[in-house]
Amino acid sequence: PPNTALEYDIEVLELTTLEEVTLDSQGRAMKKTIKDGEGYDRPSEGAEVRVRLEARDDHSGAALLEEQEVTFLAGLGRYCSAVEETVLTMKKGEACEVRCDHVDICTDTELGLRPTPDAAVVIVVELLDFSAVNMFSAEEPERVKHCTMMKEAGSRFFQTGSTRLALKRYHFVTTSLAYTGS
């Protein structure tokens, strides 16, 4: 009725943060944290990470990748960018779901993840452990060796047309070597 006020209470049951994990900022892979991690440290590019992965088609619920643990050096392009770039944003013990809108960023022959073009892929990632790489406390030969590995990864990305991933790796190298003695 006119001249009446409606009063109601709202209770927030859950607050979910979505984070874009691809470098093109077009929402092609969105990370939803389902379990918070420990502390503040995150793996840097080239850090050895151990993760638990599984994937499903969000429409049908069909398993696209059975649960498995893998260990790899983050950011070198061994696995699809949906996995590699997500891991770099995680803390130890964190678990998340990554929803991929384009199959090109979540197709991975090594993992055996080959979704159909119409699949809505959800990859569940849990960061079990990682070895921290502190470039600024490392000796110069160790930094140069690590940066050479990252530069080579950038070159591989560039050759395959992944220029944003290549530029991210090159930026890491230039930042890491900015204060070397020679």
Side-chain angles (χ1 to χ4, degrees):
N3 298 325
T4 59
L6 175 64
E7 191 175 306
Y8 54 92
D9 294 325
I10 297 176
E11 180 182 355
V12 177
L13 300 175
E14 182 179 355
L15 188 60
T16 303
T17 302
L18 297 178
E19 179 182 351
E20 168 68 58
V21 292
T22 54
L23 298 177
D24 61 8
S25 299
Q26 294 180 357
R28 294 172 9 141
M30 299 299 290
K31 171 187 160 189
K32 174 181 154 185
T33 302
I34 53 178
K35 178 181 146 197
D36 287 328
E38 308 164 6
Y40 300 98
D41 293 335
R42 301 172 196 277
S44 64
E45 294 162 348
E48 183 177 84
V49 297
R50 186 169 57 94
V51 298
R52 182 176 298 128
L53 300 170
E54 63 180 291
R56 69 179 183 278
D57 182 338
D58 203 30
H59 295 311
S60 68
L64 300 173
L65 177 67
E66 294 297 326
E67 184 178 298
Q68 58 183 283
E69 281 187 23
V70 294
T71 301
F72 61 98
L73 298 178
L76 295 183
R78 179 175 175 188
Y79 296 115
C80 63
S81 62
V83 170
E84 294 253 0
E85 296 303 312
T86 299
V87 166
L88 294 172
T89 68
M90 298 176 73
K91 297 180 270 189
K92 183 178 178 181
E94 182 177 333
C96 66
E97 290 183 343
V98 181
R99 297 186 183 281
C100 303
D101 286 346
H102 296 298
V103 296
D104 59 326
I105 60 170
C106 60
T107 298
D108 193 303
T109 54
E110 186 167 340
L111 288 172
L113 183 55
R114 296 177 190 89
T116 60
D118 61 334
V121 179
V122 175
I123 303 172
V124 179
V125 183
E126 182 179 2
L127 179 57
L128 302 173
D129 200 9
F130 69 93
S131 60
V133 176
N134 187 343
M135 294 302 293
F136 299 105
S137 67
E139 293 294 321
E140 188 171 321
E142 185 181 340
R143 277 197 293 177
V144 170
K145 179 181 176 187
H146 188 82
C147 287
T148 299
M149 179 177 63
M150 297 312 299
K151 180 198 73 74
E152 290 168 355
S155 296
R156 284 191 304 277
F157 285 130
F158 188 77
Q159 290 168 353
T160 61
S162 299
T163 54
R164 291 181 192 268
L165 291 173
L167 288 172
K168 183 178 178 188
R169 300 315 179 262
Y170 295 148
H171 178 69
F172 176 85
V173 170
T174 58
T175 303
S176 299
L177 295 178
Y179 302 105
T180 57
S182 43

